[in-house]
Amino acid sequence: MKGKVIFDKDYIISKIDNRIYGSFIENLGRCIYGGIYDPEDPTADENGFRRDVIQLVKELNVPMVRLPGGNFIATYVWEDGVGPRENRPRKPDLAWKCIETNQVGTNEYMDWLNEIGAEAMMTVNMGTRSILDALNLLDYCNRDSGTHYSDLRISHGYKKPHNIKTWAIGNELDGDWQVGQKTPFEYARLARETAKAMKLLDGSIEIVAAGSAGQESPTFGEWEQTLIQEAHPYIDYISLHQYYLNLEKDTANFLAKTLAFDEYIQSIGNLIDYMKVKTQSRQDIHISLDEWNVWYHNRQQDHETIRDRGKDWPIAPAILEEPYNFEDALVAGAMLIALIRNCDRVKIAAYAQLVNVLAPIMTDKNGKIWKNTIFYPIYYASKYGRGTALRGIIHCDKYDSRDFSDVPYLDSVAVISNDETELTIFAINKSLNENMVVNCDLRSFGRVEMTSHIALENNDVYDINSLEHPDKVVPKSKPLTQNLNEIVISPLSWNMLRFNIA
């Protein structure tokens, strides 16, 4: 099979906002307790944070973390998570039917983010709380001193403000699983008034308003249109969420679902443009795709477990722990290509989540840790996908799957580094069994030299990494070639090609 891709230095999409490589943590399962925080673990530091987790998170170079929810946020009382730990109440979490101990709260989140070198997207509870509560949290986090809540933070040992610049107003409030579910108009008006008040308190912040719960949501489209209509002067981003499933074990169709991911992003982008004209607004609204991933292996079982719990709710049980296989990593890699390709629209993104729950990083007791298969495309994209994105002209054969037609076997995007000395191409071959010989046309860059070809490939799409076998699915270095007319890409492989520009 043959393919051709043309990348030209003038085919600029946009400069990439590094925040598209962000992540998400929630007080859910073992993400916080037993994940980032475990004072009894042999790797724990003086604050109870696992050093081995910090090391791998730093390896991923995560620029922003969305927290503390997620569905959890709908009943969260942030005041319960500040002050002396011994005084913090244990509360029922209705989202996941667990007991929240509140041992990790606002200040501990910020301590941990400082350790990993990331900024926060702080989410406020719009399910069961008020505009005033959001203002109080903002005042606690961002004001120097001189008010009740800023002085309260100082009394908790944090003299300097946290200066959080990105704030999210609620989460998936169209969903019937949410405590405090709202109609499109109800949420739009609440988002408007909350954002307006928060910007009056701190004019330097940016606001992420919650979009509908996903492309398949009954409110999709209407929700976003109503939100922009009502709140456009005060919001900066609309959040999108998308997870993909492969219950049918149909690899070709699973890989084709990234066409729907592109369409999802572009449809909201088109709606934003339309509403900007309709409302005669000068406000630019971008996309925060702050939950994306694969999620299906244990989904039904976990939901049944949660639904059937009696009154004895556990603390930090192992739920939503996806044993990602090789084909999941391919889909995650293809979703990253789509995010880069749409970086003119998507300025913030967050794979859900970071540790243990739908995560690239998995932990066990006694300092044991391993990388889930999806770790690798996230790592390479985050490390080498920073700079300016270039759109490719792609010529290749196509296939039809169960739900999609005309699916290109080759998907690719390129990134030129900020200093314009390196070019990185990410590419996936979706063919189940054929090599693709790719003619890579880079003539506009002058003389280029291939310096690296990393491929994530495997013989079995269902292979997973585990505690016992942590290296079943790992990237491989491929032989280099300077013949750009015949770059061989293996079937079912996600690839990173790097070039020096003379």
Side-chain angles (χ1 to χ4, degrees):
M1 182 184 298
K2 293 187 177 181
K4 182 177 181 179
V5 61
I6 304 169
F7 286 111
D8 189 288
K9 61 185 178 182
D10 291 327
Y11 295 171
I12 293 173
I13 301 170
S14 174
K15 183 170 177 57
I16 296 167
D17 190 318
N18 291 339
R19 294 177 298 173
I20 72 168
Y21 304 117
S23 191
F24 170 36
I25 60 174
E26 181 175 355
N27 292 46
L28 158 59
R30 296 192 311 119
C31 181
I32 305 297
Y33 306 111
I36 71 171
Y37 176 79
D38 188 350
E40 297 179 0
D41 191 86
T43 71
D45 64 14
E46 63 277 9
N47 296 314
F49 299 129
R50 287 185 60 147
R51 288 189 179 95
D52 55 352
V53 171
I54 290 172
Q55 180 180 343
L56 286 191
V57 173
K58 284 183 175 180
E59 198 173 320
L60 288 172
N61 198 10
V62 180
M64 172 176 274
V65 178
R66 173 179 177 247
L67 51 84
N71 294 348
F72 170 78
I73 196 66
T75 57
Y76 182 54
V77 178
W78 69 266
E79 295 93 334
D80 292 340
V82 297
R85 278 197 171 107
E86 61 272 17
N87 296 336
R88 297 183 190 180
R90 294 189 173 200
K91 292 278 191 76
D93 166 27
L94 302 186
W96 306 108
K97 290 192 176 181
C98 299
I99 298 299
E100 171 56 43
T101 66
N102 284 302
Q103 294 303 288
V104 175
T106 300
N107 294 316
E108 288 80 22
Y109 292 134
M110 298 310 297
D111 286 341
W112 188 74
L113 290 178
N114 288 333
E115 283 287 327
I116 67 169
E119 59 182 298
M121 180 200 294
M122 183 64 77
T123 309
V124 297
N125 178 353
M126 286 288 106
T128 56
R129 303 202 78 189
S130 68
I131 297 172
L132 186 58
D133 296 308
L135 291 173
N136 292 342
L137 178 58
L138 176 60
D139 202 43
Y140 181 92
C141 290
N142 282 19
R143 187 182 293 274
D144 286 335
S145 62
T147 62
H148 172 77
Y149 285 102
S150 60
D151 290 344
L152 182 64
R153 183 200 68 244
I154 293 170
S155 76
H156 294 156
Y158 293 82
K159 183 176 181 180
K160 292 184 178 179
H162 297 311
N163 285 323
I164 300 170
K165 295 304 179 186
T166 308
W167 292 77
I169 300 176
N171 170 76
E172 294 182 0
L173 283 156
D174 61 323
D176 61 5
W177 57 89
Q178 289 294 337
V179 179
Q181 180 186 11
K182 292 175 173 53
T183 67
F185 185 75
E186 285 173 337
Y187 175 74
R189 291 298 299 175
L190 181 60
R192 172 193 172 94
E193 295 306 308
T194 304
K196 180 171 72 176
M198 292 179 76
K199 287 190 171 184
L200 283 171
L201 184 62
D202 185 344
S204 69
I205 65 172
E206 292 186 312
I207 297 291
V208 180
S212 57
Q215 197 172 11
E216 297 81 19
S217 172
T219 66
F220 174 62
E222 178 192 1
W223 182 277
E224 287 78 11
Q225 181 174 349
T226 306
L227 176 59
I228 298 171
Q229 176 77 44
E230 297 298 324
H232 66 87
Y234 302 107
I235 63 174
D236 303 286
Y237 305 90
I238 292 178
S239 77
L240 307 186
H241 293 174
Q242 189 61 51
Y243 298 93
Y244 287 113
L245 296 72
N246 187 21
L247 296 174
E248 303 82 10
K249 295 190 175 181
D250 183 339
T251 300
N253 196 62
F254 192 27
L255 289 169
K257 290 184 178 183
T258 51
L259 292 184
F261 193 50
D262 260 311
E263 182 183 282
Y264 180 38
I265 296 168
Q266 291 162 13
S267 64
I268 294 299
N270 293 337
L271 178 61
I272 289 170
D273 289 344
Y274 166 70
M275 293 303 295
K276 186 174 181 180
V277 173
K278 184 180 179 184
T279 59
Q280 299 183 15
S281 173
R282 295 184 178 181
Q283 170 75 359
D284 285 325
I285 297 173
H286 294 287
I287 291 172
S288 173
L289 221 157
D290 47 42
E291 284 188 35
W292 68 266
N293 213 330
V294 172
W295 178 18
Y296 68 96
H297 293 284
N298 295 332
R299 190 172 187 168
Q300 186 61 35
Q301 178 183 332
D302 285 335
H303 282 309
E304 289 174 0
T305 299
I306 294 165
R307 182 196 65 201
D308 295 340
R309 281 193 183 127
K311 294 182 179 179
D312 295 327
W313 291 4
I315 296 172
I319 53 175
L320 278 62
E321 299 196 4
E322 289 281 277
Y324 286 119
N325 61 34
F326 171 61
E327 70 175 3
D328 298 330
L330 292 179
V331 171
M335 293 177 81
L336 283 160
I337 288 173
L339 286 172
I340 295 170
R341 182 167 48 241
N342 290 282
C343 68
D344 55 335
R345 295 289 191 185
V346 180
K347 300 301 180 182
I348 300 172
Y351 48 89
Q353 294 185 18
L354 186 52
V355 185
N356 288 330
V357 174
L358 309 175
I361 299 170
M362 301 298 296
T363 70
D364 204 347
K365 292 291 185 181
N366 303 315
K368 296 175 182 177
I369 193 168
W370 68 97
K371 299 173 181 176
N372 231 330
T373 62
I374 65 168
F375 182 97
Y376 297 105
I378 293 170
Y379 164 77
Y380 285 110
S382 178
K383 185 169 183 179
Y384 298 108
R386 304 192 181 209
T388 299
L390 303 178
R391 191 179 310 280
I393 297 176
I394 299 173
H395 302 282
C396 66
D397 291 340
K398 299 178 181 180
Y399 70 93
D400 295 337
S401 70
R402 191 190 63 180
D403 297 323
F404 301 90
S405 59
D406 294 327
V407 183
Y409 281 108
L410 177 65
D411 193 8
S412 186
V413 73
V415 179
I416 188 167
S417 62
N418 288 317
D419 62 5
E420 299 186 352
T421 63
E422 294 180 313
L423 180 71
T424 300
I425 297 174
F426 300 105
I428 183 171
N429 178 3
K430 297 184 180 182
S431 171
L432 301 184
N433 46 37
E434 287 191 55
N435 283 336
M436 182 174 289
V437 180
V438 179
N439 177 350
C440 196
D441 187 338
L442 306 177
R443 74 184 75 181
S444 74
F445 295 95
R447 186 167 61 86
V448 298
E449 178 186 11
M450 183 186 284
T451 58
S452 178
H453 180 179
I454 301 294
L456 192 62
E457 54 190 20
N458 202 68
N459 293 327
D460 188 342
V461 294
Y462 302 120
D463 271 352
I464 65 170
N465 293 339
S466 63
L467 177 61
E468 296 77 17
H469 303 284
D471 299 320
K472 267 221 168 163
V473 180
V474 294
K476 302 171 184 175
S477 292
K478 306 290 284 187
L480 301 184
T481 177
Q482 302 309 323
N483 182 1
L484 303 189
N485 295 324
E486 296 184 357
I487 298 175
V488 179
I489 297 180
S490 301
L492 287 183
S493 65
W494 187 86
N495 300 261
M496 182 186 72
L497 311 171
R498 302 190 67 228
F499 303 86
N500 279 341
I501 302 171

